[in-house]
Amino acid sequence: MNAHHLIDLNDISVEQWDALIRLAADIRLNPRDYMGRCRGRIMATLFYEPSTRTQMSFQAAMLRLGGEIIGFDNPGNSSVSKGESLKDTVRIVSGYSDLIVMRHPQEGAAKAASMYSLCPVINAGDGGHLHPTQTLTDLVTLSNEKGSLSGLKIGVCGDIKYGRTVHSLIKAMCKFSGNVFYLISTPELGVPGYIKEVMSSSGCGCLEVNSLEECIGELDVLYMTRIQRERFATPEEYERNRGVYILDRKKLSKAKADLSIMHPLPRVDEIEDAIDDDRRAVYYRQAVFGMYARMALILRMLEEDVITAKGFGKPIDGAVCTNPRCITHTEHYLPGCFSQEGGASSCCYCDTRLA
Amino acid sequence: MNAHHLIDLNDISVEQWDALIRLAADIRLNPRDYMGRCRGRIMATLFYEPSTRTQMSFQAAMLRLGGEIIGFDNPGNSSVSKGESLKDTVRIVSGYSDLIVMRHPQEGAAKAASMYSLCPVINAGDGGHLHPTQTLTDLVTLSNEKGSLSGLKIGVCGDIKYGRTVHSLIKAMCKFSGNVFYLISTPELGVPGYIKEVMSSSGCGCLEVNSLEECIGELDVLYMTRIQRERFATPEEYERNRGVYILDRKKLSKAKADLSIMHPLPRVDEIEDAIDDDRRAVYYRQAVFGMYARMALILRMLEEDVITAKGFGKPIDGAVCTNPRCITHTEHYLPGCFSQEGGASSCCYCDTRLA
Amino acid sequence: MNAHHLIDLNDISVEQWDALIRLAADIRLNPRDYMGRCRGRIMATLFYEPSTRTQMSFQAAMLRLGGEIIGFDNPGNSSVSKGESLKDTVRIVSGYSDLIVMRHPQEGAAKAASMYSLCPVINAGDGGHLHPTQTLTDLVTLSNEKGSLSGLKIGVCGDIKYGRTVHSLIKAMCKFSGNVFYLISTPELGVPGYIKEVMSSSGCGCLEVNSLEECIGELDVLYMTRIQRERFATPEEYERNRGVYILDRKKLSKAKADLSIMHPLPRVDEIEDAIDDDRRAVYYRQAVFGMYARMALILRMLEEDVITAKGFGKPIDGAVCTNPRCITHTEHYLPGCFSQEGGASSCCYCDTRLA
């Protein structure tokens, strides 16, 4: 059983992040040097829910390295998702391929897959839990656009209570010194307590702000996310609030000339179309940086085997994970695995703490 | 923004058609010379509606040139078609790939895509509007089967009122001298007036004929199309008419020995199965010529950049396109663009004239 | 018309099986020697019903040989399956590709395809009729795991009345000497009479056994299959019977140390998860052997053209196939073809005997 997987970006060190970021930059500058590096290798994209963009980004990455692709993206239509355990599918497909990229609606699914795979597994999103290559994409983008990952004033705007992308980005940027976060949201949609703890214990600064307008002039980076209508108690409240968190030309006129506007995409209307051609709009380039980030990751996992996984923890007598979205609740053969950190135990699949 | 797209075959000159036809013929004769010519290049097939055959033809073409493929063909299942604008999808995918092939149910969609793409766009069908690679396929087939694109007696049979394929073919063949068209249809399903204008202003001859039998003996080419049951007022009328426009062995017995029977496929029953093995049946070879035509086009667009696009026109104050199937009615950020020709203005996306 | 297809494994000689088995073993040991052998060749996977695992196995096989892939796997979504005859689809796709792999829900479909294809056709399953690459997979697995295909005590367990896989395996293993079959099932789900005839006329031994426990200690091979709930008259009867045919640790404790447990997969619960890590569990390796078996087959069909097809038989006046699942009942242009063997005539598509 190969133990070199990428399930959670925090499983690998900041030095390894740096190496991936440098490698992505080099591939971008010298793509021809990397063209045949994965010749003869096969990547399987097992997408248990559709995510066309993520899948195309991984596919383009592998093809640009000279590798090949098998996989599925249509779970309803796929026989592997009918009555076959995740374990059996992963064991068999890992015998056909050299690398598995998995997207799954349940939390902890990628971790579970890594326990049975004969080849490395990359987590391409497991429900609302983790999406490490999105975070890696953001780091590669910031590093290339700003020249450094330290000393940045970073606004995060919109629904920052439920947004997995924003939480992962904050946690990652807290590993670098001197960053200050501007949390731009309504009181109801602010970041959860544990993210605030991460910021304060890391020594990074943090300001809560009620509108884009009052802080946009100070920012080096503005990370936009969508506020979903359903998050508000009433339609009236939604209408009253939404404009405050939409980026338009008027608000942008107050921003610095070197602001970098990011967005994980897809967007709906939280960034006005007219801004797309402003050179501060980084979100389209961000998607391309994502392809280079994935090329770096694939190459490193196939060639150098330096990615290492967090351990699998141990079962605790009588304990089951309390997260109803955890993969352990549908794949019943999975052993209960809990890791101990401080005084608390948390599920090794979905990271939910035992009460 | 790269301006080298193929949206409408009429955007390029007859000399460029000739060059593509010659290139397709050379690839067919010497396929090994072209095997690695697109090595390292990626083509994205963005099929917003399924068209398996067209997609497989493009894919086989790119793979035979040594290139690779990403894309989607399942809009209902695809996240890119959920809530994301055509603009964003095209901007991002064009960052992953070297060439986009787009099929879309709305008219003008390929033109709209070309306004935002970072790489060349090929229109693989935009609703009932244009399908230039089908027309190029027909030209390559005619050139190879008949040895010339001039001086041909060409029957077009069936529903020639609504058939996009037939209209494009007639317009294309009118650019060559001495062709005569036999329009074989019911009075209700004859060609529209503007197609008649094209024929008369080009100096090509044109005869309206009520049945296959009365003209088949004179034809060099017979282009068959399907008559759909729904086109007739009553089922009785359909039954009375359909046999007249079905090609069977009896009618074929009156044809010349070197007649070329073409069909864009798929067919239902408008050509009898028993004719498939007659050497005058060209329709299967036509599909293979389509693959070579697409190889020539892909190669030229990736290697030589000689394909040039029609301009994007200008907005007219207060004017909106009157075609309800035009892409401008669902993608609201698209600027109104109208080109002036003679006294009339027409929409740059779907070519509908302003009233 | 190329006549080199693989529709039924019995169309080729035991010597040809041996050659394929040896080639698969060599590819497995020396994969790098075969990496570019199908460079520039295209395989079309035409899957008229989804079978993700079989399709991925074929795709991985072709890609590991350096070839490329086109195809479809989503019949509901595919335009080729709407109103176009199998004949037209196959004729056209065989003009794009060098090899067709076809999966179809109707019996005899692959045979029908081979009548019109310009390139070799591999049957990847035609309804409940044949699935020759599964049988080839089983032969490659047995040869590698047991070192010989003769003198084996082979248990086949579960629903062996309806299981196509098991019938084909028994027929194949009866061509080798000294094999003995243990038919482990309920009286209702035993093998059909014609399979018993094959065993007795081949001289292979055959024992009917009511439970796994009473024979597992004697077996060299145990081939497990699933018993579907629907096969029993009542739910009570199902519950009473199912445990008898489930392989668990307790029953396995009586087995020999070199037993090979096989399963065509997917499994549901007929083999206990705890057995997966026992080295007698061969079913995961069996899937990988399937990839090598398909690599050998593809290579041989593309490079050496030694696969030969059974003849197409002749029409019999007034005779039509009596099997309602036969492809001749939906594709009406297909000529009736019957072959004569002994005194009986059987349909060349689905092998059903005329009454």
Side-chain angles (χ1 to χ4, degrees):
Chain A
M1 205 76 68
N2 189 313
H4 306 97
H5 309 287
L6 185 72
I7 307 306
D8 180 342
L9 204 56
N10 291 305
D11 292 349
I12 65 174
S13 68
V14 173
E15 288 69 35
Q16 287 176 308
W17 297 1
D18 279 336
L20 286 169
I21 292 167
R22 281 196 309 274
L23 182 55
D26 193 60
I27 295 172
R28 181 167 166 252
L29 293 175
N30 307 295
R32 303 217 144 246
D33 294 354
Y34 295 87
M35 254 181 65
R37 289 280 283 272
C38 294
R39 184 83 61 216
R41 314 300 287 271
I42 294 178
M43 181 177 85
T45 55
L46 306 188
F47 274 53
Y48 285 84
E49 63 179 8
S51 179
T52 312
R53 184 101 49 62
T54 299
Q55 195 174 18
M56 284 200 288
S57 176
F58 270 108
Q59 291 177 335
M62 185 59 170
L63 294 171
R64 289 198 179 282
L65 293 167
E68 300 290 350
I69 293 154
I70 61 172
F72 57 83
D73 61 353
N74 194 349
N77 192 49
S78 166
S79 59
V80 299
S81 63
K82 278 182 207 141
E84 183 169 76
S85 69
L86 187 68
K87 174 186 181 178
D88 279 9
T89 301
V90 164
R91 272 295 290 270
I92 293 163
V93 174
S94 68
Y96 298 161
S97 54
D98 301 292
L99 179 66
I100 284 177
V101 174
M102 176 177 282
R103 174 91 169 199
H104 199 286
Q106 281 181 283
E107 303 182 14
K111 182 80 174 187
S114 74
M115 294 171 67
Y116 300 105
S117 177
L118 304 168
C119 70
V121 172
I122 295 176
N123 184 3
D126 58 336
H129 181 221
L130 296 166
H131 190 5
T133 62
Q134 177 65 53
T135 309
L136 185 62
T137 294
D138 294 344
L139 295 177
V140 169
T141 306
L142 283 168
S143 172
N144 278 274
E145 292 287 331
K146 311 313 292 185
S148 164
L149 295 172
S150 301
L152 298 172
K153 293 183 175 165
I154 305 168
V156 290
C157 176
D159 174 359
I160 57 183
K161 180 173 183 184
Y162 297 100
R164 169 180 69 177
T165 305
V166 162
H167 301 169
S168 298
L169 179 66
I170 292 174
K171 286 199 289 187
M173 292 303 286
C174 280
K175 303 219 175 173
F176 300 91
S177 63
N179 291 319
V180 180
F181 298 95
Y182 292 71
L183 310 171
I184 311 162
S185 190
T186 67
E188 296 80 13
L189 292 175
V191 298
Y194 84 97
I195 293 290
K196 287 193 186 169
E197 280 171 38
V198 169
M199 289 185 283
S200 69
S201 70
S202 74
C204 281
C206 154
L207 288 83
E208 292 184 73
V209 185
N210 287 317
S211 78
L212 254 176
E213 266 174 313
E214 60 187 282
C215 69
I216 194 167
E218 299 170 43
L219 301 176
D220 300 309
V221 176
L222 173 57
Y223 203 102
M224 296 292 296
T225 68
R226 189 181 165 203
I227 298 191
Q228 290 175 296
R229 189 180 294 262
E230 307 83 73
R231 300 295 188 207
F232 290 93
T234 64
E236 294 73 36
E237 206 179 326
Y238 170 69
E239 288 303 326
R240 201 164 54 243
N241 273 291
R242 64 193 286 268
V244 182
Y245 306 102
I246 285 181
L247 181 62
D248 57 21
R249 272 167 301 188
K250 183 156 167 290
K251 291 177 194 131
L252 187 59
S253 67
K254 301 186 179 167
K256 293 201 281 188
D258 66 349
L259 173 69
S260 294
I261 307 164
M262 294 173 70
H263 192 296
L265 303 178
R267 64 156 162 191
V268 180
D269 57 6
E270 57 274 18
I271 301 176
E272 200 183 47
D273 283 314
I275 288 171
D276 296 351
D277 296 320
D278 192 294
R279 64 191 181 78
R280 290 169 287 191
V282 167
Y283 34 92
Y284 291 135
R285 289 201 291 280
Q286 187 180 355
V288 180
F289 281 123
M291 181 180 73
Y292 290 112
R294 290 177 177 108
M295 288 176 79
L297 183 64
I298 290 168
L299 194 61
R300 221 164 161 76
M301 292 183 75
L302 284 178
E303 284 198 345
E304 309 186 31
D305 277 350
V306 299
I307 306 291
T308 53
K310 198 165 51 180
F312 287 119
K314 283 182 294 192
I316 296 181
D317 267 0
V320 292
C321 180
T322 55
N323 173 6
R325 293 177 305 279
C326 179
I327 188 77
T328 54
H329 294 299
T330 49
E331 305 281 328
H332 298 293
Y333 54 85
L334 290 173
C337 291
F338 297 90
S339 62
Q340 314 266 347
E341 236 174 300
S345 296
S346 59
C347 173
C348 272
Y349 300 95
C350 72
D351 295 315
T352 300
R353 284 193 196 181
L354 276 185
Chain B
M1 207 76 68
N2 189 313
H4 306 96
H5 309 288
L6 184 73
I7 307 307
D8 181 341
L9 203 56
N10 291 304
D11 293 349
I12 65 175
S13 68
V14 172
E15 288 68 36
Q16 287 177 308
W17 298 1
D18 279 337
L20 286 169
I21 292 167
R22 281 196 309 274
L23 181 56
D26 193 61
I27 295 172
R28 180 167 167 252
L29 292 175
N30 308 293
R32 303 217 144 245
D33 292 355
Y34 295 87
M35 253 182 67
R37 289 280 283 273
C38 293
R39 184 83 60 213
R41 314 301 286 271
I42 293 178
M43 180 178 85
T45 55
L46 307 187
F47 275 53
Y48 285 84
E49 63 178 7
S51 178
T52 313
R53 183 100 49 63
T54 299
Q55 195 174 17
M56 285 200 288
S57 176
F58 270 109
Q59 290 176 336
M62 185 59 170
L63 293 171
R64 289 197 179 281
L65 292 166
E68 299 289 350
I69 293 155
I70 61 172
F72 56 82
D73 61 353
N74 194 349
N77 191 50
S78 165
S79 59
V80 299
S81 64
K82 279 181 207 142
E84 182 167 77
S85 68
L86 187 68
K87 174 186 181 177
D88 279 8
T89 301
V90 164
R91 272 295 291 271
I92 293 164
V93 174
S94 68
Y96 297 162
S97 54
D98 301 291
L99 179 65
I100 285 177
V101 174
M102 176 178 282
R103 174 92 169 198
H104 200 286
Q106 281 180 283
E107 303 181 13
K111 182 80 174 188
S114 75
M115 295 171 68
Y116 300 105
S117 177
L118 305 167
C119 70
V121 173
I122 296 176
N123 183 3
D126 59 335
H129 181 220
L130 295 166
H131 190 6
T133 61
Q134 177 65 52
T135 309
L136 186 61
T137 293
D138 294 342
L139 295 176
V140 169
T141 305
L142 283 168
S143 172
N144 278 274
E145 292 287 329
K146 312 311 292 183
S148 164
L149 295 172
S150 303
L152 298 172
K153 293 183 174 164
I154 304 169
V156 291
C157 176
D159 174 359
I160 57 182
K161 179 174 184 183
Y162 297 101
R164 169 181 70 177
T165 305
V166 161
H167 301 168
S168 298
L169 178 67
I170 292 174
K171 285 199 290 187
M173 292 304 287
C174 281
K175 304 220 174 171
F176 301 90
S177 63
N179 292 318
V180 179
F181 298 95
Y182 293 70
L183 310 171
I184 311 162
S185 189
T186 67
E188 296 82 12
L189 292 174
V191 298
Y194 84 96
I195 292 290
K196 288 193 186 170
E197 280 170 38
V198 169
M199 290 186 280
S200 68
S201 70
S202 73
C204 280
C206 154
L207 288 82
E208 293 184 72
V209 186
N210 287 317
S211 78
L212 254 177
E213 266 173 314
E214 59 187 282
C215 69
I216 195 167
E218 299 171 41
L219 302 177
D220 300 309
V221 176
L222 172 57
Y223 203 101
M224 295 293 297
T225 68
R226 187 181 166 202
I227 298 191
Q228 290 175 294
R229 188 180 295 261
E230 309 82 72
R231 299 297 187 205
F232 290 92
T234 63
E236 293 73 34
E237 206 179 325
Y238 170 69
E239 289 302 327
R240 202 164 54 243
N241 274 291
R242 63 193 288 266
V244 181
Y245 306 102
I246 284 180
L247 182 61
D248 55 21
R249 271 167 300 186
K250 182 156 167 287
K251 291 177 194 131
L252 187 59
S253 67
K254 301 184 178 168
K256 293 202 281 189
D258 66 348
L259 172 69
S260 294
I261 307 163
M262 295 173 69
H263 191 297
L265 302 180
R267 65 158 160 189
V268 181
D269 57 4
E270 56 275 17
I271 300 176
E272 201 184 47
D273 284 315
I275 288 172
D276 296 351
D277 297 320
D278 192 295
R279 66 193 180 76
R280 290 169 287 192
V282 167
Y283 34 91
Y284 291 135
R285 289 202 291 280
Q286 187 180 355
V288 180
F289 281 123
M291 180 181 74
Y292 291 111
R294 291 177 177 108
M295 288 177 79
L297 183 65
I298 291 169
L299 193 62
R300 221 164 160 76
M301 292 183 75
L302 284 178
E303 283 196 345
E304 308 186 30
D305 277 349
V306 298
I307 306 291
T308 53
K310 198 165 53 179
F312 287 119
K314 284 183 292 194
I316 296 180
D317 266 2
V320 292
C321 180
T322 55
N323 174 5
R325 294 177 305 279
C326 180
I327 189 76
T328 53
H329 294 299
T330 50
E331 305 281 326
H332 299 293
Y333 53 87
L334 289 173
C337 290
F338 297 90
S339 61
Q340 314 266 345
E341 235 173 302
S345 295
S346 59
C347 173
C348 273
Y349 301 95
C350 72
D351 295 314
T352 299
R353 284 193 198 182
L354 276 184
Chain C
M1 206 76 69
N2 189 313
H4 306 94
H5 309 287
L6 186 72
I7 307 306
D8 181 341
L9 204 56
N10 291 304
D11 293 350
I12 64 174
S13 67
V14 173
E15 289 68 36
Q16 287 176 311
W17 296 2
D18 279 336
L20 287 168
I21 292 168
R22 282 196 308 274
L23 181 56
D26 192 60
I27 295 171
R28 182 168 166 250
L29 293 175
N30 308 295
R32 303 219 144 244
D33 293 355
Y34 294 88
M35 254 183 67
R37 290 279 284 273
C38 293
R39 185 84 61 215
R41 314 302 285 273
I42 294 178
M43 180 178 84
T45 54
L46 307 187
F47 274 53
Y48 284 84
E49 63 179 7
S51 178
T52 313
R53 183 100 49 65
T54 299
Q55 195 174 18
M56 285 200 288
S57 177
F58 269 109
Q59 291 176 334
M62 185 59 169
L63 294 171
R64 289 198 179 280
L65 293 167
E68 300 290 349
I69 293 154
I70 61 173
F72 57 82
D73 60 354
N74 194 350
N77 191 50
S78 167
S79 60
V80 299
S81 64
K82 279 181 207 142
E84 183 168 73
S85 68
L86 186 69
K87 174 186 182 177
D88 279 8
T89 301
V90 164
R91 272 296 291 270
I92 293 163
V93 175
S94 68
Y96 297 163
S97 54
D98 301 291
L99 178 66
I100 285 178
V101 175
M102 177 178 281
R103 175 91 169 197
H104 200 285
Q106 281 180 282
E107 303 182 12
K111 181 81 174 187
S114 74
M115 294 171 68
Y116 300 104
S117 177
L118 304 167
C119 70
V121 173
I122 295 176
N123 183 3
D126 58 335
H129 182 219
L130 295 166
H131 190 5
T133 61
Q134 177 65 53
T135 309
L136 186 61
T137 294
D138 294 343
L139 295 177
V140 169
T141 305
L142 282 169
S143 172
N144 278 275
E145 293 287 329
K146 311 312 292 185
S148 165
L149 295 172
S150 302
L152 297 173
K153 292 182 175 166
I154 304 168
V156 291
C157 176
D159 175 359
I160 56 182
K161 178 173 184 184
Y162 298 100
R164 169 180 71 177
T165 306
V166 161
H167 300 169
S168 298
L169 178 66
I170 292 174
K171 286 199 289 187
M173 291 304 286
C174 281
K175 303 219 175 172
F176 301 91
S177 63
N179 291 318
V180 179
F181 299 95
Y182 293 71
L183 310 172
I184 311 162
S185 190
T186 67
E188 296 80 14
L189 293 174
V191 298
Y194 84 95
I195 293 291
K196 286 193 186 170
E197 280 169 38
V198 169
M199 290 186 280
S200 68
S201 70
S202 74
C204 280
C206 155
L207 288 82
E208 292 184 73
V209 185
N210 287 317
S211 79
L212 254 176
E213 266 174 313
E214 59 188 282
C215 68
I216 194 167
E218 300 170 41
L219 302 176
D220 300 310
V221 175
L222 173 56
Y223 204 101
M224 296 293 297
T225 68
R226 188 181 166 203
I227 297 191
Q228 290 176 295
R229 189 180 294 263
E230 307 84 73
R231 300 295 188 206
F232 290 93
T234 65
E236 293 73 36
E237 206 180 325
Y238 170 69
E239 288 304 326
R240 201 165 53 242
N241 274 291
R242 63 192 287 267
V244 180
Y245 307 102
I246 286 181
L247 182 61
D248 56 21
R249 272 168 300 187
K250 182 156 167 289
K251 289 177 195 133
L252 187 59
S253 67
K254 300 186 180 168
K256 291 201 280 188
D258 66 348
L259 173 70
S260 294
I261 307 164
M262 296 173 68
H263 191 297
L265 302 180
R267 66 157 160 191
V268 181
D269 58 5
E270 56 276 17
I271 300 176
E272 200 184 47
D273 284 314
I275 288 172
D276 296 352
D277 295 321
D278 191 295
R279 68 192 179 77
R280 290 169 287 191
V282 167
Y283 34 92
Y284 291 135
R285 288 202 291 280
Q286 186 180 356
V288 180
F289 281 123
M291 181 180 74
Y292 291 111
R294 290 176 177 109
M295 289 176 78
L297 183 64
I298 291 168
L299 193 61
R300 220 161 162 79
M301 291 183 77
L302 284 177
E303 284 198 346
E304 308 186 31
D305 277 350
V306 299
I307 306 291
T308 53
K310 198 166 50 178
F312 287 119
K314 285 183 291 192
I316 296 181
D317 266 2
V320 292
C321 180
T322 56
N323 173 6
R325 295 177 305 278
C326 179
I327 188 75
T328 54
H329 293 300
T330 50
E331 304 282 327
H332 297 294
Y333 54 86
L334 289 173
C337 291
F338 297 91
S339 62
Q340 313 265 346
E341 236 174 300
S345 296
S346 59
C347 173
C348 272
Y349 301 94
C350 73
D351 295 315
T352 300
R353 284 191 198 185
L354 276 184

